């Protein structure tokens, strides 16, 4: 991106969003730094969503493109389509039912200008009820309170990226179930993700939200809630899914080697591959340990511990879980 004022696009997807859509659109109009372009991909809504979008398009002070899919393609492919149609230097992802605070785009623009190496930016958001009443909780705050790393914060509607990053993450592999985790995980791996701890939007929780993760709770949470939610249930399915995702990440990094080199990211890319391979190896070891009957686990578990394997996870807490989980 050059040093001239960047063009900012919003990539929005909609599906039967008539209830809250107008408030989200109005929050674009109230931005202190107006967007240059809004691209909306509608996934065959059957309510008045399309009418609302067309009315907004006809009166908005910036370019609005409304695209209606020929068939329902799901939210991942819909976001992929919206991103691919954006022409901005900076692209901000948006859901249909939240509200952006007036300084969101100005803050995103400034942070990208101040951090030239950053390819992806993620900002915190205040969690509210359906009427946008807040209770003092934020998404990042909940994630940290649950004992998770800030790298677990991968919410798509809080994500902005440089146009160059599209050449790395698009197309999104069909085995990937979440566009937001794919975009953010690749950026984290290559150390080009920037975190804005200031909430820049209101996250509306209602009966139709796609995510029910505990970190999206309106009320405050703690590590006890994380234990209560996940407990000691089998983790094999999740580990297998993560290993498959790691393979896809490594494959994409290797496929985009030339593009990454042109971004001066060849060295971080090699480091990312090594880190992914280490993570996968550690997951395989844990899977081998818990596949044994509990009384046959201690020797292998201690060996893995002494080799430093559990440093890739939550240390002694992960080791304890592996000792007793089914």
């Amino acid at each position: 991106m050059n040093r001239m004022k960047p063009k900012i696009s919003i990539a929005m997807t909609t599906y039967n969003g008539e209830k809250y859509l107008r408030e989200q659109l109005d929050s674009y109009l109230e931005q202190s730094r107006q967007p240059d372009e809004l691209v909306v991909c509608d996934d065959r809504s059957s309510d008045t969503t399309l009418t609302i979008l067309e009315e907004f398009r006809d009166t908005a002070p910036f370019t609005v493109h409304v695209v209606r899919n020929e068939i329902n393609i799901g939210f991942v492919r819909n976001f992929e389509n919206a991103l691919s149609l954006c022409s901005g230097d900076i692209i901000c992802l948006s859901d249909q039912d939240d509200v952006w605070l007036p300084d969101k785009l100005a803050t995103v623009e400034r942070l990208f200008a101040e951090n030239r190496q950053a390819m992806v930016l993620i900002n915190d958001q205040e969690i509210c009820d359906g009427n946008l009443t807040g209770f003092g909780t934020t998404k990042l705050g909940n994630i940290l309170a649950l004992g998770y790393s800030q790298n677990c914060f991968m919410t798509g509607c809080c994500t902005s990226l440089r146009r160059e990053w599209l050449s790395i993450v698009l197309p999104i592999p069909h085995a990937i179930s979440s566009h937001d985790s794919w975009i953010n995980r690749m950026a984290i791996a290559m150390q080009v993700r920037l975190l804005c701890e200031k909430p820049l939007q209101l996250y509306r929780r209602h009966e139709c939200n796609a995510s029910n993760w505990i970190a999206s709770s309106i009320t405050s949470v703690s590590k006890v809630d994380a234990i209560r939610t996940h407990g000691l249930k089998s983790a094999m399915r999740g580990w297998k899914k993560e290993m498959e995702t790691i393979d896809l990440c490594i494959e994409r990094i290797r496929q985009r080697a030339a593009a990454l080199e042109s971004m001066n990211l060849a060295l971080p890319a090699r480091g990312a591959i090594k880190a992914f391979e280490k993570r996968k190896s550690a997951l395989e070891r844990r899977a081998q340990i818990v596949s044994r009957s509990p009384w046959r686990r201690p020797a292998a578990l201690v060996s893995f511990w002494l080799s430093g394997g559990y440093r890739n996870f939550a240390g002694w807490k992960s080791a304890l879980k592996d000792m007793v989980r089914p």
Side-chain angles (χ1 to χ4, degrees):
M1 187 175 69
N2 58 41
R3 293 185 179 274
M4 296 175 62
K5 184 177 180 180
K7 179 178 181 179
I8 298 181
S9 297
I10 300 174
M12 183 188 208
T13 63
T14 57
Y15 178 69
N16 290 343
E18 64 179 5
K19 187 173 183 179
Y20 303 117
L21 179 57
R22 285 187 177 88
E23 287 182 86
Q24 176 68 292
L25 294 172
D26 286 344
S27 73
Y28 301 157
L29 299 175
E30 295 169 4
Q31 292 296 300
S32 60
R33 197 292 192 196
Q34 289 278 286
D36 299 289
E37 173 187 65
L38 168 63
V39 175
V40 189
C41 289
D42 181 74
D43 208 18
R44 304 296 297 180
S45 292
S46 57
D47 61 3
T48 62
T49 292
L50 209 60
T51 300
I52 294 170
L53 291 172
E54 290 170 346
E55 290 175 351
F56 184 80
R57 178 191 60 196
D58 294 340
T59 59
F62 44 81
T63 301
V64 178
H65 302 286
V66 179
V67 179
R68 192 183 192 204
N69 299 332
E70 294 183 2
I71 59 172
N72 185 281
I73 58 177
F75 72 94
V76 175
R77 302 274 78 81
N78 204 21
F79 262 113
E80 179 181 59
N81 193 33
L83 286 167
S84 70
L85 295 174
C86 288
S87 60
D89 304 297
I90 295 171
I91 304 170
C92 302
L93 279 68
S94 176
D95 287 346
Q96 65 184 5
D97 48 7
D98 302 324
V99 168
W100 287 5
L101 299 179
D103 64 340
K104 166 150 178 161
L105 290 183
T107 302
V108 168
E109 181 180 40
R110 175 178 59 80
L111 290 174
F112 270 127
E114 293 172 352
N115 298 271
R116 295 286 171 177
Q117 193 65 11
M119 289 291 159
V120 173
L121 182 151
I122 189 165
N123 61 263
D124 201 1
Q125 59 181 355
E126 183 178 359
I127 305 172
C128 304
D129 64 16
N131 297 316
L132 292 182
T133 300
F135 298 86
T137 56
T138 72
K139 187 66 170 288
L140 178 60
N142 274 353
I143 288 171
L144 298 178
L146 288 165
Y148 301 133
S149 161
Q150 66 182 33
N151 286 345
C152 293
F153 182 26
M154 299 186 181
T155 304
C157 64
C158 298
T159 298
S160 303
L161 62 152
R162 295 191 194 272
R163 181 171 185 79
E164 298 95 306
W165 201 240
L166 294 181
S167 68
I168 307 302
V169 296
L170 295 186
I172 300 171
H174 280 271
I176 295 295
S177 59
S178 167
H179 64 285
D180 40 16
S181 63
W182 173 251
I183 293 169
N184 280 275
R185 185 164 192 166
M186 291 287 282
I188 291 168
M190 281 171 274
Q191 303 175 45
V192 291
R193 187 179 85 153
L194 182 65
L195 175 67
C196 173
E197 297 184 13
K198 178 183 177 181
L200 298 181
Q201 60 207 68
L202 305 179
Y203 176 40
R204 192 195 305 265
R205 296 295 298 162
H206 54 85
E207 66 279 0
C208 296
N209 285 119
S211 171
N212 290 310
W213 188 27
I214 187 175
S216 297
S217 172
I218 293 175
T219 57
S220 298
V221 294
S222 68
K223 295 179 182 179
V224 174
D225 295 302
I227 295 172
R228 185 182 298 116
T229 300
H230 300 290
L232 296 173
K233 61 184 179 183
S234 174
M236 294 290 279
R237 183 177 179 181
W239 290 345
K240 181 180 179 181
K241 183 66 176 177
E242 183 176 358
M243 286 187 278
E244 292 171 350
T245 300
I246 286 173
D247 287 338
L248 292 171
C249 290
I250 292 173
E251 180 182 16
R252 179 58 60 87
I253 292 171
R254 287 174 173 158
Q255 289 174 341
R256 300 293 191 270
L260 289 166
E261 185 171 3
S262 70
M263 298 178 195
N264 297 316
L265 294 176
L267 185 60
R270 289 194 290 271
I273 289 176
K274 290 181 180 178
F276 276 132
E277 290 174 338
K278 183 178 180 181
R279 174 78 174 181
K280 182 181 178 181
S281 177
L283 286 167
E284 290 172 340
R285 286 288 302 277
R286 289 187 73 182
Q288 291 171 358
I289 290 169
V290 301
S291 66
R292 304 180 180 190
S293 57
W295 64 272
R296 295 184 58 221
R297 295 178 190 175
L301 191 148
V302 170
S303 175
F304 187 46
W305 172 274
L306 293 175
S307 71
Y310 280 104
R311 286 200 293 267
N312 294 291
F313 306 100
W316 65 267
K317 289 178 285 187
S318 294
L320 180 60
K321 285 184 177 181
D322 288 353
M323 181 69 76
V324 299
R325 70 169 81 240

